């Protein structure tokens, strides 16, 4: 196992998850994609939660997106694999599974997010966290583009008319870093501005 990467924040997490997975797979690495929150089920996603089926798919294809189906909408959603199953895949497949990439936060399609007390949801064996921050809505009011803006306003005492700029984006990055460190995460933290 090279890395377990958890992707948090807003504004392009799923896109980055798949971009990293494609790049590692292109390099001949074994990749598993899952979530600790919710993701849309994509074509060829394994929802069996069966160790042997997941193992065989990773060995055969070098790639697997997996989770547990939780909804039957037109675009069904999934939650992540049970931690004991994910632990077993990581520990029992050292030759075939190089990267686990986890979408570990939700933002309901917002470009920026202020995390709640129980967010992000970091899998215990995570080695690296990437904070995704969307920058394309600079100049707009925070209340219109930041997911959980009311919480941010209450906790930080922000005015109603605060506009997204570099200082707001950096403040959100710092909030994530502090939360991760306060939760005991000791791994590498990096930021991806989109």
């Amino acid at each position: 196992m090279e890395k377990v990467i958890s992707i948090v924040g807003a504004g392009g997490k799923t896109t980055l998850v798949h971009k990293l997975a494609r790049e590692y797979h292109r390099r001949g690495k074994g990749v598993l994609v899952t979530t600790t929150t919710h993701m849309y089920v994509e074509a060829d996603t394994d929802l069996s939660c069966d160790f042997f089926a997941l193992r065989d798919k990773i060995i055969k294809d070098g790639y697997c997106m997996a989770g547990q189906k939780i909804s039957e909408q037109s675009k069904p959603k999934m939650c992540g694999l049970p931690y004991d199953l994910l632990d077993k895949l990581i520990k029992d497949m050292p030759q075939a599974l190089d990267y686990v990439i986890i979408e570990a936060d939700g933002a309901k399609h917002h470009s920026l997010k202020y995390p709640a007390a129980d967010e992000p949801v970091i899998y215990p064996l995570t080695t690296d966290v990437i904070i995704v921050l969307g920058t394309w809505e600079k100049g707009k009011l925070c209340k219109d583009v930041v997911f959980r803006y009311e919480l941010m306003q209450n906790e930080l005492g922000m005015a109603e008319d605060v506009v997204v700029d570099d200082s707001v984006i950096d403040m959100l990055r710092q909030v994530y870093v502090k939360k991760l460190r306060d939760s005991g995460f000791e791994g590498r933290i990096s930021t991806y501005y989109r």
Side-chain angles (χ1 to χ4, degrees), residues 154-174:
N154 290 339
E155 292 188 359
L156 303 179
M158 296 186 77
E160 280 286 321
D161 60 350
V162 174
V163 171
V164 174
D165 61 11
D166 289 338
S167 67
V168 169
I169 292 170
D170 189 58
M171 181 270 305
L172 291 168
R173 181 193 63 78
Q174 290 176 41

Side-chain angles (χ1 to χ4, degrees), residues 133-171:
L133 298 164
T135 61
W136 66 88
E137 294 188 296
K138 285 183 188 178
K140 292 186 179 180
L141 293 174
C142 286
K143 68 179 183 176
D144 295 333
V145 300
V146 177
F147 184 57
R148 300 209 196 290
Y149 170 74
E150 294 79 16
L151 180 62
M152 181 173 86
Q153 185 181 32
N154 290 339
E155 292 188 359
L156 303 179
M158 296 186 77
E160 280 286 321
D161 60 350
V162 174
V163 171
V164 174
D165 61 11
D166 289 338
S167 67
V168 169
I169 292 170
D170 189 58
M171 181 270 305

